[in-house]
Amino acid sequence: METNVYRTREGLRHAFRDVLNFYYPDCLDTRVGGYVAQLDERAGYVYDSRSKHLVATARAINNFSLGTLADGPEWCRHAAEHGLRFLSTAHWDPEHEGYDWLLDERAPVDRTRFCYGHAFALLAGARVHQAGIPGGRAELDRAFSVLEKRFFEPERGLYADRASPDWAELSPYRGANANMHTLEALLAAGEATGEERFFERAIEVAERFTRELATETDGLLWEHYTESWKHDLSYNEDEPDHQFRPPGYQPGHHAEWAKLLILLAEHREEDWLTERAMELFDSAMELGWDGNHGGLYYTVEASGEPIVDEKYGWAHTEAIGASALLARYDSSYLEWYDRLWEYSAEHLINPRYGNWYERLTREGELPEPDHGPAVEPGYHPITNCWLAMGVLEDDPTALDADG
């Protein structure tokens, strides 16, 4: 395939800004604060103006902070500040010192303490601080303090999953997803502050999860564990299409872990980081790519047999980001970079607005949209376009196979 437009900074910047423009200004809630993140992915209308989900709030802050860092529209800074004020007040529970999971406008609906949500609060604080916006460092420090005090298990080197609102009860479930996104946030915190403690914790999590635990599953990454971090291979086996915690292996998460290991390798010299990143990305493509219809399956057996054969937008953006970073080490990854963009441009990107669809059928058709409160307001495509733009900033020929 000839060099495509997404190998250029201009093409990536266009895709990056399309997603920002899809959400702004409709996402700003000027009445109660925060964001209205629940926009219909096809037509762009608001389908829920009241729900304020912690992850959606934090992800939107991340997006507008990256817009500021990338010299995007001038309104990005204001939009990031707007979200940070809401995160630090409405989502924060000063009595129990934790972030509330779901609000109805400003009233708590679900106060469960999720590590996953606190990780995104840390990411939001880190990105705001990195963008030079006041208040970001304070939020970064607060979120990290809760993660370390309430979720980190020193004897395991990993993070627990969730707790009751008063922190009295810790769930026995342990999971990959919370640790993966905490690792992401730790990397962002280290890059924003230059402090080694964040990278030290990040490599501890990365090594424990992607090397030690993975030896029990032939190098693949299982998602679900018991309280003692034993593989729970039967978890949700009776719910193969569970939206957030399905059984099986997730190719998209293998690509996402690969991306994070490559980012960590920029700050650590351990050779295993790049080697393991390549292994994980290669496994994601080998097991997850649909040779008949294109695109990555959502979940698969260890053999590559699909369990849920739908194609999720986030998985493709994460693989795009990973392949862009890996191409700096081996230009053959550009083949996957091009193939992923080709599939995404044809099937996953809304031709009307430029936002990304949440999911497709195996054949690439759009199912009925999920109009729930737990949305991802463009966080995956924005973050990975930004990473790919950064690759080109470091080396303008990095995405050129002949460069």
Side-chain angles (χ1 to χ4, degrees), residues 90-365:
H91 276 292
W92 178 254
D93 175 4
E95 179 182 359
H96 299 104
E97 297 188 335
Y99 293 97
D100 291 335
W101 183 245
L102 182 63
L103 312 176
D104 177 5
E105 295 193 335
R106 299 183 75 94
V109 173
D110 184 351
R111 308 192 95 158
T112 305
R113 311 300 179 201
F114 284 95
C115 177
Y116 182 81
H118 286 71
F120 275 104
L122 174 59
L123 178 68
R127 293 302 189 207
V128 171
H129 181 59
Q130 190 176 2
I133 297 172
R137 181 59 200 250
E139 208 63 39
L140 182 163
D141 289 337
R142 179 159 69 177
F144 181 66
S145 176
V146 178
L147 283 164
E148 291 295 290
K149 179 181 178 181
R150 298 295 190 179
F151 293 107
F152 188 67
E153 300 179 305
E155 70 281 7
R156 306 290 182 186
L158 292 166
Y159 291 83
D161 191 75
R162 64 187 183 274
S164 58
D166 61 0
W167 301 106
E169 182 179 353
L170 194 64
S171 168
Y173 174 85
R174 299 291 183 272
N177 206 18
N179 282 273
M180 182 182 70
H181 284 291
T182 302
L183 170 58
E184 176 189 28
L186 289 167
L187 287 169
E191 291 168 355
T193 64
E195 295 177 12
E196 287 298 311
R197 59 180 177 142
F198 297 112
F199 297 123
E200 291 169 4
R201 179 68 80 232
I203 201 163
E204 183 177 6
V205 171
E207 184 161 22
R208 176 76 172 115
F209 196 85
T210 67
R211 299 185 81 191
E212 296 177 21
L213 287 176
T215 60
E216 301 175 31
T217 45
D218 294 326
L220 297 180
L221 306 179
W222 190 250
E223 298 286 327
H224 314 293
Y225 297 82
T226 67
E227 188 173 14
S228 58
W229 279 99
K230 301 296 183 184
H231 290 71
D232 190 349
L233 297 176
S234 63
Y235 187 85
N236 271 351
E237 62 182 3
D238 57 340
E239 293 186 73
D241 57 352
H242 192 283
Q243 184 178 4
F244 299 113
R245 291 181 176 172
Y249 296 96
Q250 294 194 33
H253 277 170
H254 281 69
E256 197 164 358
W257 278 102
K259 180 190 82 172
L260 296 175
L261 293 186
I262 285 292
L263 290 172
L264 184 53
E266 297 177 2
H267 306 282
R268 286 292 185 272
E269 296 181 354
E270 286 87 338
D271 290 338
W272 70 264
L273 287 167
T274 54
E275 294 170 2
R276 189 72 179 110
M278 290 178 180
E279 290 174 358
L280 291 173
F281 185 88
D282 293 347
S283 294
M285 299 302 112
E286 179 182 352
L287 296 178
W289 189 261
D290 182 349
N292 292 320
H293 301 284
L296 290 167
Y297 297 125
Y298 182 40
T299 56
V300 298
E301 303 279 4
S303 64
E305 181 68 21
I307 300 174
V308 176
D309 60 14
E310 291 180 314
K311 316 294 173 60
Y312 276 73
W314 69 262
H316 295 76
T317 63
E318 290 301 325
I320 284 169
S323 58
L325 293 166
L326 286 167
R328 296 184 302 184
Y329 298 86
D330 183 343
S331 63
S332 68
Y333 285 100
L334 287 173
E335 296 178 18
W336 277 116
Y337 181 82
D338 288 339
R339 190 181 303 180
L340 287 156
W341 267 119
E342 183 179 19
Y343 178 84
S344 300
E346 182 177 353
H347 298 287
L348 285 164
I349 299 176
N350 186 338
R352 181 178 179 184
Y353 296 113
N355 61 299
W356 289 58
Y357 299 127
E358 178 189 17
R359 61 191 172 93
L360 306 171
T361 65
R362 178 178 183 176
E363 295 76 17
E365 301 299 321

